PDB file of all heavy atoms in Angstrom:
ATOM      1  N   CYS A  19     -70.143  76.360 202.990  1.00 98.00           N
ATOM      2  CA  CYS A  19     -70.385  75.171 202.210  1.00 98.00           C
ATOM      3  C   CYS A  19     -70.881  75.550 200.815  1.00 98.00           C
ATOM      4  O   CYS A  19     -71.555  76.558 200.621  1.00 98.00           O
ATOM      5  CB  CYS A  19     -71.490  74.342 202.947  1.00 98.00           C
ATOM      6  SG  CYS A  19     -71.177  74.004 204.627  1.00 98.00           S
ATOM      7  N   SER A  20     -70.557  74.702 199.772  1.00 98.00           N
ATOM      8  CA  SER A  20     -70.894  74.838 198.492  1.00 98.00           C
ATOM      9  C   SER A  20     -70.588  76.260 197.937  1.00 98.00           C
ATOM     10  O   SER A  20     -69.466  76.599 198.142  1.00 98.00           O
ATOM     11  CB  SER A  20     -72.483  74.624 198.383  1.00 98.00           C
ATOM     12  OG  SER A  20     -72.866  74.492 197.029  1.00 98.00           O
ATOM     13  N   PHE A  21     -71.500  77.075 197.478  1.00 98.00           N
ATOM     14  CA  PHE A  21     -71.195  78.381 196.950  1.00 98.00           C
ATOM     15  C   PHE A  21     -70.784  79.362 198.121  1.00 98.00           C
ATOM     16  O   PHE A  21     -70.023  80.345 197.847  1.00 98.00           O
ATOM     17  CB  PHE A  21     -72.308  78.974 196.168  1.00 98.00           C
ATOM     18  CG  PHE A  21     -71.900  80.053 195.219  1.00 98.00           C
ATOM     19  CD1 PHE A  21     -70.935  79.695 194.241  1.00 98.00           C
ATOM     20  CD2 PHE A  21     -72.324  81.364 195.269  1.00 98.00           C
ATOM     21  CE1 PHE A  21     -70.541  80.730 193.282  1.00 98.00           C
ATOM     22  CE2 PHE A  21     -71.926  82.298 194.338  1.00 98.00           C
ATOM     23  CZ  PHE A  21     -71.013  82.004 193.331  1.00 98.00           C
ATOM     24  N   GLY A  22     -71.144  78.975 199.346  1.00 98.00           N
ATOM     25  CA  GLY A  22     -70.526  79.710 200.512  1.00 98.00           C
ATOM     26  C   GLY A  22     -69.020  79.558 200.616  1.00 98.00           C
ATOM     27  O   GLY A  22     -68.355  80.408 201.088  1.00 98.00           O
ATOM     28  N   GLY A  23     -68.494  78.472 200.065  1.00 98.00           N
ATOM     29  CA  GLY A  23     -67.098  78.223 200.009  1.00 98.00           C
ATOM     30  C   GLY A  23     -66.391  79.235 199.073  1.00 98.00           C
ATOM     31  O   GLY A  23     -65.311  79.582 199.356  1.00 98.00           O
ATOM     32  N   TYR A  24     -67.098  79.576 198.011  1.00 98.00           N
ATOM     33  CA  TYR A  24     -66.568  80.557 197.014  1.00 98.00           C
ATOM     34  C   TYR A  24     -66.451  81.920 197.783  1.00 98.00           C
ATOM     35  O   TYR A  24     -65.352  82.490 197.664  1.00 98.00           O
ATOM     36  CB  TYR A  24     -67.407  80.704 195.870  1.00 98.00           C
ATOM     37  CG  TYR A  24     -67.292  82.068 195.178  1.00 98.00           C
ATOM     38  CD1 TYR A  24     -66.015  82.285 194.423  1.00 98.00           C
ATOM     39  CD2 TYR A  24     -68.192  83.070 195.331  1.00 98.00           C
ATOM     40  CE1 TYR A  24     -65.824  83.567 193.841  1.00 98.00           C
ATOM     41  CE2 TYR A  24     -67.888  84.332 194.760  1.00 98.00           C
ATOM     42  CZ  TYR A  24     -66.811  84.591 193.971  1.00 98.00           C
ATOM     43  OH  TYR A  24     -66.543  85.793 193.451  1.00 98.00           O
ATOM     44  N   HIS A  25     -67.472  82.335 198.462  1.00 98.00           N
ATOM     45  CA  HIS A  25     -67.399  83.603 199.196  1.00 98.00           C
ATOM     46  C   HIS A  25     -66.212  83.620 200.188  1.00 98.00           C
ATOM     47  O   HIS A  25     -65.545  84.696 200.286  1.00 98.00           O
ATOM     48  CB  HIS A  25     -68.770  83.863 199.908  1.00 98.00           C
ATOM     49  CG  HIS A  25     -69.903  83.954 199.060  1.00 98.00           C
ATOM     50  ND1 HIS A  25     -70.020  84.915 198.010  1.00 98.00           N
ATOM     51  CD2 HIS A  25     -71.107  83.269 198.974  1.00 98.00           C
ATOM     52  CE1 HIS A  25     -71.245  84.814 197.420  1.00 98.00           C
ATOM     53  NE2 HIS A  25     -71.911  83.750 197.979  1.00 98.00           N
ATOM     54  N   ALA A  26     -66.108  82.529 200.873  1.00 98.00           N
ATOM     55  CA  ALA A  26     -64.988  82.470 201.903  1.00 98.00           C
ATOM     56  C   ALA A  26     -63.763  82.517 201.287  1.00 98.00           C
ATOM     57  O   ALA A  26     -62.753  83.265 201.682  1.00 98.00           O
ATOM     58  CB  ALA A  26     -65.160  81.188 202.758  1.00 98.00           C
ATOM     59  N   ALA A  27     -63.494  81.719 200.153  1.00 98.00           N
ATOM     60  CA  ALA A  27     -62.175  81.615 199.571  1.00 98.00           C
ATOM     61  C   ALA A  27     -61.823  83.005 198.914  1.00 98.00           C
ATOM     62  O   ALA A  27     -60.694  83.415 198.928  1.00 98.00           O
ATOM     63  CB  ALA A  27     -62.142  80.493 198.542  1.00 98.00           C
ATOM     64  N   ASN A  28     -62.786  83.618 198.176  1.00 98.00           N
ATOM     65  CA  ASN A  28     -62.540  84.835 197.584  1.00 98.00           C
ATOM     66  C   ASN A  28     -62.088  85.888 198.478  1.00 98.00           C
ATOM     67  O   ASN A  28     -61.109  86.642 198.296  1.00 98.00           O
ATOM     68  CB  ASN A  28     -63.742  85.272 196.746  1.00 98.00           C
ATOM     69  CG  ASN A  28     -63.462  86.482 195.878  1.00 98.00           C
ATOM     70  OD1 ASN A  28     -62.561  86.477 195.047  1.00 98.00           O
ATOM     71  ND2 ASN A  28     -64.229  87.540 196.001  1.00 98.00           N
ATOM     72  N   PHE A  29     -62.761  85.972 199.608  1.00 98.00           N
ATOM     73  CA  PHE A  29     -62.408  87.012 200.646  1.00 98.00           C
ATOM     74  C   PHE A  29     -61.033  86.701 201.210  1.00 98.00           C
ATOM     75  O   PHE A  29     -60.206  87.604 201.380  1.00 98.00           O
ATOM     76  CB  PHE A  29     -63.468  87.030 201.776  1.00 98.00           C
ATOM     77  CG  PHE A  29     -63.186  88.136 202.763  1.00 98.00           C
ATOM     78  CD1 PHE A  29     -63.550  89.432 202.414  1.00 98.00           C
ATOM     79  CD2 PHE A  29     -62.517  87.924 203.929  1.00 98.00           C
ATOM     80  CE1 PHE A  29     -63.267  90.554 203.290  1.00 98.00           C
ATOM     81  CE2 PHE A  29     -62.202  88.985 204.819  1.00 98.00           C
ATOM     82  CZ  PHE A  29     -62.555  90.218 204.592  1.00 98.00           C
ATOM     83  N   ALA A  30     -60.758  85.472 201.501  1.00 98.00           N
ATOM     84  CA  ALA A  30     -59.415  85.080 202.113  1.00 98.00           C
ATOM     85  C   ALA A  30     -58.248  85.359 201.121  1.00 98.00           C
ATOM     86  O   ALA A  30     -57.252  85.949 201.557  1.00 98.00           O
ATOM     87  CB  ALA A  30     -59.424  83.631 202.464  1.00 98.00           C
ATOM     88  N   PHE A  31     -58.454  85.076 199.854  1.00 98.00           N
ATOM     89  CA  PHE A  31     -57.323  85.196 198.982  1.00 98.00           C
ATOM     90  C   PHE A  31     -57.118  86.654 198.493  1.00 98.00           C
ATOM     91  O   PHE A  31     -56.092  87.058 198.066  1.00 98.00           O
ATOM     92  CB  PHE A  31     -57.555  84.218 197.699  1.00 98.00           C
ATOM     93  CG  PHE A  31     -57.496  82.762 198.088  1.00 98.00           C
ATOM     94  CD1 PHE A  31     -58.346  81.882 197.539  1.00 98.00           C
ATOM     95  CD2 PHE A  31     -56.538  82.322 198.953  1.00 98.00           C
ATOM     96  CE1 PHE A  31     -58.305  80.561 197.865  1.00 98.00           C
ATOM     97  CE2 PHE A  31     -56.531  80.948 199.443  1.00 98.00           C
ATOM     98  CZ  PHE A  31     -57.357  80.069 198.793  1.00 98.00           C
ATOM     99  N   LYS A  32     -58.264  87.352 198.518  1.00 98.00           N
ATOM    100  CA  LYS A  32     -58.144  88.836 198.096  1.00 98.00           C
ATOM    101  C   LYS A  32     -57.565  89.622 199.240  1.00 98.00           C
ATOM    102  O   LYS A  32     -56.910  90.610 199.043  1.00 98.00           O
ATOM    103  CB  LYS A  32     -59.522  89.356 197.718  1.00 98.00           C
ATOM    104  CG  LYS A  32     -60.113  89.008 196.392  1.00 98.00           C
ATOM    105  CD  LYS A  32     -61.330  89.679 196.050  1.00 98.00           C
ATOM    106  CE  LYS A  32     -61.114  91.208 195.750  1.00 98.00           C
ATOM    107  NZ  LYS A  32     -62.415  91.832 195.273  1.00 98.00           N
ATOM    108  N   HIS A  33     -57.910  89.198 200.474  1.00 98.00           N
ATOM    109  CA  HIS A  33     -57.620  90.059 201.701  1.00 98.00           C
ATOM    110  C   HIS A  33     -56.830  89.168 202.734  1.00 98.00           C
ATOM    111  O   HIS A  33     -57.335  89.064 203.896  1.00 98.00           O
ATOM    112  CB  HIS A  33     -58.805  90.673 202.256  1.00 98.00           C
ATOM    113  CG  HIS A  33     -59.704  91.365 201.259  1.00 98.00           C
ATOM    114  ND1 HIS A  33     -59.272  92.527 200.610  1.00 98.00           N
ATOM    115  CD2 HIS A  33     -60.920  91.091 200.763  1.00 98.00           C
ATOM    116  CE1 HIS A  33     -60.269  92.860 199.743  1.00 98.00           C
ATOM    117  NE2 HIS A  33     -61.246  92.019 199.873  1.00 98.00           N
ATOM    118  N   PRO A  34     -55.782  88.477 202.343  1.00 98.00           N
ATOM    119  CA  PRO A  34     -55.153  87.533 203.314  1.00 98.00           C
ATOM    120  C   PRO A  34     -54.657  88.194 204.561  1.00 98.00           C
ATOM    121  O   PRO A  34     -54.429  87.520 205.573  1.00 98.00           O
ATOM    122  CB  PRO A  34     -54.094  86.912 202.479  1.00 98.00           C
ATOM    123  CG  PRO A  34     -53.731  87.880 201.375  1.00 98.00           C
ATOM    124  CD  PRO A  34     -55.087  88.548 201.119  1.00 98.00           C
ATOM    125  N   GLU A  35     -54.413  89.548 204.525  1.00 98.00           N
ATOM    126  CA  GLU A  35     -53.965  90.223 205.720  1.00 98.00           C
ATOM    127  C   GLU A  35     -55.022  90.292 206.778  1.00 98.00           C
ATOM    128  O   GLU A  35     -54.731  90.511 208.011  1.00 98.00           O
ATOM    129  CB  GLU A  35     -53.462  91.675 205.383  1.00 98.00           C
ATOM    130  CG  GLU A  35     -54.618  92.635 204.965  1.00 98.00           C
ATOM    131  CD  GLU A  35     -55.153  92.455 203.631  1.00 98.00           C
ATOM    132  OE1 GLU A  35     -54.647  91.573 202.911  1.00 98.00           O
ATOM    133  OE2 GLU A  35     -56.121  93.178 203.362  1.00 98.00           O
ATOM    134  N   LYS A  36     -56.247  90.004 206.447  1.00 98.00           N
ATOM    135  CA  LYS A  36     -57.417  90.020 207.360  1.00 98.00           C
ATOM    136  C   LYS A  36     -57.791  88.597 207.886  1.00 98.00           C
ATOM    137  O   LYS A  36     -58.715  88.550 208.749  1.00 98.00           O
ATOM    138  CB  LYS A  36     -58.571  90.670 206.706  1.00 98.00           C
ATOM    139  CG  LYS A  36     -58.335  92.082 206.145  1.00 98.00           C
ATOM    140  CD  LYS A  36     -58.047  93.120 207.344  1.00 98.00           C
ATOM    141  CE  LYS A  36     -57.966  94.466 206.778  1.00 98.00           C
ATOM    142  NZ  LYS A  36     -57.608  95.455 207.838  1.00 98.00           N
ATOM    143  N   VAL A  37     -57.220  87.571 207.252  1.00 98.00           N
ATOM    144  CA  VAL A  37     -57.767  86.204 207.408  1.00 98.00           C
ATOM    145  C   VAL A  37     -56.688  85.280 207.962  1.00 98.00           C
ATOM    146  O   VAL A  37     -55.629  85.210 207.430  1.00 98.00           O
ATOM    147  CB  VAL A  37     -58.317  85.709 206.082  1.00 98.00           C
ATOM    148  CG1 VAL A  37     -58.745  84.172 206.320  1.00 98.00           C
ATOM    149  CG2 VAL A  37     -59.448  86.479 205.571  1.00 98.00           C
ATOM    150  N   ALA A  38     -57.083  84.521 209.085  1.00 98.00           N
ATOM    151  CA  ALA A  38     -56.144  83.592 209.635  1.00 98.00           C
ATOM    152  C   ALA A  38     -56.460  82.147 209.290  1.00 98.00           C
ATOM    153  O   ALA A  38     -55.642  81.270 209.235  1.00 98.00           O
ATOM    154  CB  ALA A  38     -56.141  83.705 211.220  1.00 98.00           C
ATOM    155  N   HIS A  39     -57.821  81.884 208.951  1.00 98.00           N
ATOM    156  CA  HIS A  39     -58.259  80.500 208.732  1.00 98.00           C
ATOM    157  C   HIS A  39     -59.230  80.556 207.525  1.00 98.00           C
ATOM    158  O   HIS A  39     -60.125  81.414 207.540  1.00 98.00           O
ATOM    159  CB  HIS A  39     -58.844  79.889 209.907  1.00 98.00           C
ATOM    160  CG  HIS A  39     -57.986  79.896 211.131  1.00 98.00           C
ATOM    161  ND1 HIS A  39     -57.085  78.959 211.366  1.00 98.00           N
ATOM    162  CD2 HIS A  39     -57.915  80.754 212.173  1.00 98.00           C
ATOM    163  CE1 HIS A  39     -56.439  79.163 212.549  1.00 98.00           C
ATOM    164  NE2 HIS A  39     -56.916  80.302 213.038  1.00 98.00           N
ATOM    165  N   LEU A  40     -59.147  79.602 206.693  1.00 98.00           N
ATOM    166  CA  LEU A  40     -60.089  79.478 205.621  1.00 98.00           C
ATOM    167  C   LEU A  40     -60.557  77.969 205.576  1.00 98.00           C
ATOM    168  O   LEU A  40     -59.732  77.049 205.460  1.00 98.00           O
ATOM    169  CB  LEU A  40     -59.467  79.792 204.290  1.00 98.00           C
ATOM    170  CG  LEU A  40     -60.292  79.297 202.975  1.00 98.00           C
ATOM    171  CD1 LEU A  40     -61.649  80.025 202.931  1.00 98.00           C
ATOM    172  CD2 LEU A  40     -59.452  79.648 201.721  1.00 98.00           C
ATOM    173  N   PHE A  41     -61.896  77.736 205.783  1.00 98.00           N
ATOM    174  CA  PHE A  41     -62.450  76.384 205.674  1.00 98.00           C
ATOM    175  C   PHE A  41     -63.543  76.413 204.664  1.00 98.00           C
ATOM    176  O   PHE A  41     -64.545  77.120 204.818  1.00 98.00           O
ATOM    177  CB  PHE A  41     -63.023  76.030 207.102  1.00 98.00           C
ATOM    178  CG  PHE A  41     -62.041  76.227 208.257  1.00 98.00           C
ATOM    179  CD1 PHE A  41     -62.524  76.928 209.417  1.00 98.00           C
ATOM    180  CD2 PHE A  41     -60.826  75.768 208.212  1.00 98.00           C
ATOM    181  CE1 PHE A  41     -61.672  77.071 210.446  1.00 98.00           C
ATOM    182  CE2 PHE A  41     -59.955  75.920 209.277  1.00 98.00           C
ATOM    183  CZ  PHE A  41     -60.412  76.591 210.435  1.00 98.00           C
ATOM    184  N   THR A  42     -63.313  75.530 203.683  1.00 98.00           N
ATOM    185  CA  THR A  42     -64.406  75.436 202.645  1.00 98.00           C
ATOM    186  C   THR A  42     -64.886  73.937 202.646  1.00 98.00           C
ATOM    187  O   THR A  42     -64.142  73.079 202.886  1.00 98.00           O
ATOM    188  CB  THR A  42     -64.005  75.819 201.276  1.00 98.00           C
ATOM    189  OG1 THR A  42     -63.012  74.860 200.753  1.00 98.00           O
ATOM    190  CG2 THR A  42     -63.438  77.191 201.205  1.00 98.00           C
ATOM    191  N   MET A  43     -66.204  73.752 202.425  1.00 98.00           N
ATOM    192  CA  MET A  43     -66.798  72.367 202.401  1.00 98.00           C
ATOM    193  C   MET A  43     -67.623  72.273 201.158  1.00 98.00           C
ATOM    194  O   MET A  43     -68.678  72.911 200.976  1.00 98.00           O
ATOM    195  CB  MET A  43     -67.594  72.153 203.663  1.00 98.00           C
ATOM    196  CG  MET A  43     -66.823  72.291 204.928  1.00 98.00           C
ATOM    197  SD  MET A  43     -67.686  72.789 206.444  1.00 98.00           S
ATOM    198  CE  MET A  43     -67.588  74.592 206.243  1.00 98.00           C
ATOM    199  N   GLY A  44     -67.165  71.485 200.260  1.00 98.00           N
ATOM    200  CA  GLY A  44     -67.889  71.358 198.974  1.00 98.00           C
ATOM    201  C   GLY A  44     -67.897  72.605 198.072  1.00 98.00           C
ATOM    202  O   GLY A  44     -68.883  72.920 197.432  1.00 98.00           O
ATOM    203  N   GLY A  45     -66.877  73.468 198.227  1.00 98.00           N
ATOM    204  CA  GLY A  45     -66.816  74.750 197.559  1.00 98.00           C
ATOM    205  C   GLY A  45     -66.497  74.609 196.036  1.00 98.00           C
ATOM    206  O   GLY A  45     -66.018  73.649 195.542  1.00 98.00           O
ATOM    207  N   ALA A  46     -66.989  75.691 195.381  1.00 96.00           N
ATOM    208  CA  ALA A  46     -66.677  75.839 193.925  1.00 96.00           C
ATOM    209  C   ALA A  46     -66.072  77.272 193.808  1.00 96.00           C
ATOM    210  O   ALA A  46     -66.494  78.209 194.483  1.00 96.00           O
ATOM    211  CB  ALA A  46     -67.959  75.812 193.104  1.00 96.00           C
ATOM    212  N   PHE A  47     -65.005  77.429 192.971  1.00 98.00           N
ATOM    213  CA  PHE A  47     -64.180  78.638 193.038  1.00 98.00           C
ATOM    214  C   PHE A  47     -63.991  79.327 191.733  1.00 98.00           C
ATOM    215  O   PHE A  47     -63.260  80.296 191.660  1.00 98.00           O
ATOM    216  CB  PHE A  47     -62.826  78.230 193.704  1.00 98.00           C
ATOM    217  CG  PHE A  47     -62.831  77.395 194.880  1.00 98.00           C
ATOM    218  CD1 PHE A  47     -62.663  75.965 194.840  1.00 98.00           C
ATOM    219  CD2 PHE A  47     -63.320  77.956 196.101  1.00 98.00           C
ATOM    220  CE1 PHE A  47     -62.743  75.202 195.994  1.00 98.00           C
ATOM    221  CE2 PHE A  47     -63.491  77.172 197.201  1.00 98.00           C
ATOM    222  CZ  PHE A  47     -63.122  75.808 197.195  1.00 98.00           C
ATOM    223  N   ASP A  48     -64.689  78.916 190.691  1.00 97.00           N
ATOM    224  CA  ASP A  48     -64.576  79.543 189.384  1.00 97.00           C
ATOM    225  C   ASP A  48     -65.860  80.129 188.964  1.00 97.00           C
ATOM    226  O   ASP A  48     -66.842  79.381 188.659  1.00 97.00           O
ATOM    227  CB  ASP A  48     -64.079  78.529 188.382  1.00 97.00           C
ATOM    228  CG  ASP A  48     -63.639  79.191 187.047  1.00 97.00           C
ATOM    229  OD1 ASP A  48     -64.059  80.364 186.796  1.00 97.00           O
ATOM    230  OD2 ASP A  48     -62.999  78.540 186.260  1.00 97.00           O
ATOM    231  N   ILE A  49     -66.053  81.421 188.947  1.00 96.00           N
ATOM    232  CA  ILE A  49     -67.374  82.078 188.711  1.00 96.00           C
ATOM    233  C   ILE A  49     -67.491  82.365 187.161  1.00 96.00           C
ATOM    234  O   ILE A  49     -68.539  82.970 186.870  1.00 96.00           O
ATOM    235  CB  ILE A  49     -67.548  83.345 189.564  1.00 96.00           C
ATOM    236  CG1 ILE A  49     -66.390  84.244 189.572  1.00 96.00           C
ATOM    237  CG2 ILE A  49     -67.925  82.869 191.034  1.00 96.00           C
ATOM    238  CD1 ILE A  49     -66.378  85.183 188.513  1.00 96.00           C
ATOM    239  N   LYS A  50     -66.614  82.033 186.308  1.00 96.00           N
ATOM    240  CA  LYS A  50     -66.791  82.295 184.931  1.00 96.00           C
ATOM    241  C   LYS A  50     -68.023  81.625 184.337  1.00 96.00           C
ATOM    242  O   LYS A  50     -68.519  82.067 183.317  1.00 96.00           O
ATOM    243  CB  LYS A  50     -65.526  81.952 184.106  1.00 96.00           C
ATOM    244  CG  LYS A  50     -64.301  82.889 184.394  1.00 96.00           C
ATOM    245  CD  LYS A  50     -63.188  82.665 183.400  1.00 96.00           C
ATOM    246  CE  LYS A  50     -62.485  81.281 183.446  1.00 96.00           C
ATOM    247  NZ  LYS A  50     -61.735  81.228 184.699  1.00 96.00           N
ATOM    248  N   MET A  51     -68.518  80.533 184.991  1.00 94.00           N
ATOM    249  CA  MET A  51     -69.691  79.891 184.575  1.00 94.00           C
ATOM    250  C   MET A  51     -70.936  80.770 184.655  1.00 94.00           C
ATOM    251  O   MET A  51     -71.973  80.538 184.003  1.00 94.00           O
ATOM    252  CB  MET A  51     -69.893  78.622 185.309  1.00 94.00           C
ATOM    253  CG  MET A  51     -70.247  78.823 186.781  1.00 94.00           C
ATOM    254  SD  MET A  51     -70.465  77.292 187.702  1.00 94.00           S
ATOM    255  CE  MET A  51     -68.867  77.022 188.179  1.00 94.00           C
ATOM    256  N   PHE A  52     -70.780  81.894 185.436  1.00 96.00           N
ATOM    257  CA  PHE A  52     -71.933  82.799 185.654  1.00 96.00           C
ATOM    258  C   PHE A  52     -71.883  84.091 184.864  1.00 96.00           C
ATOM    259  O   PHE A  52     -72.723  85.012 185.000  1.00 96.00           O
ATOM    260  CB  PHE A  52     -72.064  83.181 187.144  1.00 96.00           C
ATOM    261  CG  PHE A  52     -72.141  82.002 188.054  1.00 96.00           C
ATOM    262  CD1 PHE A  52     -71.114  81.540 188.855  1.00 96.00           C
ATOM    263  CD2 PHE A  52     -73.339  81.331 188.157  1.00 96.00           C
ATOM    264  CE1 PHE A  52     -71.171  80.487 189.697  1.00 96.00           C
ATOM    265  CE2 PHE A  52     -73.444  80.179 188.964  1.00 96.00           C
ATOM    266  CZ  PHE A  52     -72.441  79.750 189.739  1.00 96.00           C
TER     267      PHE A  52
END
């Protein structure tokens, strides 16, 4: 959830061979703000 959605999405999209399901809830996905 929230920034946890970033962690989940980043891992899934970097390593899709390891991931079968990605669920984000209220996620943010652009870390250039930091």
Side-chain angles (χ1 to χ4, degrees):
C19 303
S20 193
F21 203 58
Y24 158 74
H25 298 302
N28 188 55
F29 186 81
F31 295 140
K32 284 185 71 173
H33 312 292
E35 72 283 356
K36 303 293 185 183
V37 177
H39 306 274
L40 166 63
F41 308 131
T42 67
M43 295 153 279
F47 312 105
D48 190 344
I49 47 82
K50 289 193 292 294
M51 70 181 86
F52 301 107

